[in-house]
Amino acid sequence: METTLIDRAHNILAENPLIDGHNDLLISLRMDYHNHLTDDVLKQFSNGTLHNKQTDMPRIQQGGYGGAFWSAFWLCQKDIWDFSDEAYAPVVRATLEQIDYSDAAVLTYLTKGNVYSEKSTPHWGGVSRKGRSVIKEMNRLGMLVDLSHVSQDTMRDVLIGDHNHDAPHSADGLAGIDPEEQWTGSLAPPIFSHSSTYSLCPHPRNVPDDILQLVKKRNSVVMINFNPGFIACTASESSDPTALPVDDPANATLDRIVEHILHVGELIGYDHVGIGSDFNGIEEVPKGMED
């Protein structure tokens, strides 16, 4: 009997469950329900009636959703240069509460570290000295290093190490490091949990082709984001070097997602591409991804 494409997809997922690289369900539940897992909330999650959510049990079961990295996301403090205990204590507490919440919700979670940045003037030209120490500690703890929110310099620095010896150094940057000491990046392969390809959408969150080659070299993976603004955009014509690209909503489609997956797969191999939906962290899905 001839099978449909949907049947083939379900057969594949039955043997190879999909793992989503990034799902913001937990922070979404915190915002709407203040982390109160009442019987009513759990019932709505089970029967698919949670208000304004992109993930629930019926979708998980019907979509062959085998697991996810449930994001323990929290906003940084207002002063990004204040690294004092007083400034970070509320952030650390909230993050730990989110991890605890995922356990309480009986949702499997994997811990990963992510450094956040948007397009701006480079400060360190890669990873600072303190940043290198953080990455080494994450390697020691067994935490995945996630590069989905970092600059291209940082992507290269974490993937392969020293690439920019001419970057400006300071007392808090690389000053004091023995020039003979070789920095080779993360010991374990880092990941891009929810990024797309820069050549198809030139957003600073996305991964350029030359860095995709480093992804292959490190046996890493890029998990394609469903955010319409990260899959369909055009370069800004502004003279401001920090200007973000222009959204292209007409091309924010399911087919465009496939194009990003194919681009990575054909360029460096399908072992290095995955899906990082960003569900519950995006306001809308690309056309063709609606329920």
Side-chain angles (χ1 to χ4, degrees), residues 67-81:
F69 290 85
W70 303 102
S71 162
F73 167 78
W74 195 255
L75 294 171
C76 294
Q77 75 281 12
K78 292 182 178 180
D79 182 359
I80 63 173
W81 301 113

Side-chain angles (χ1 to χ4, degrees), residues 57-122:
M57 191 55 68
R59 289 181 174 120
I60 287 173
Q61 294 174 334
Q62 293 171 22
Y65 202 75
F69 290 85
W70 303 102
S71 162
F73 167 78
W74 195 255
L75 294 171
C76 294
Q77 75 281 12
K78 292 182 178 180
D79 182 359
I80 63 173
W81 301 113
D82 182 359
F83 298 104
S84 66
D85 290 345
E86 291 76 15
Y88 264 93
V91 177
V92 172
R93 175 177 177 174
T95 301
L96 293 175
E97 287 174 350
Q98 289 306 99
I99 294 174
D100 180 65
Y101 187 48
S102 69
D103 190 38
V106 199
L107 298 174
T108 301
Y109 67 88
L110 297 177
T111 304
K112 57 189 176 69
N114 180 284
V115 180
Y116 183 83
S117 70
E118 286 295 347
K119 191 170 184 181
S120 59
T121 302

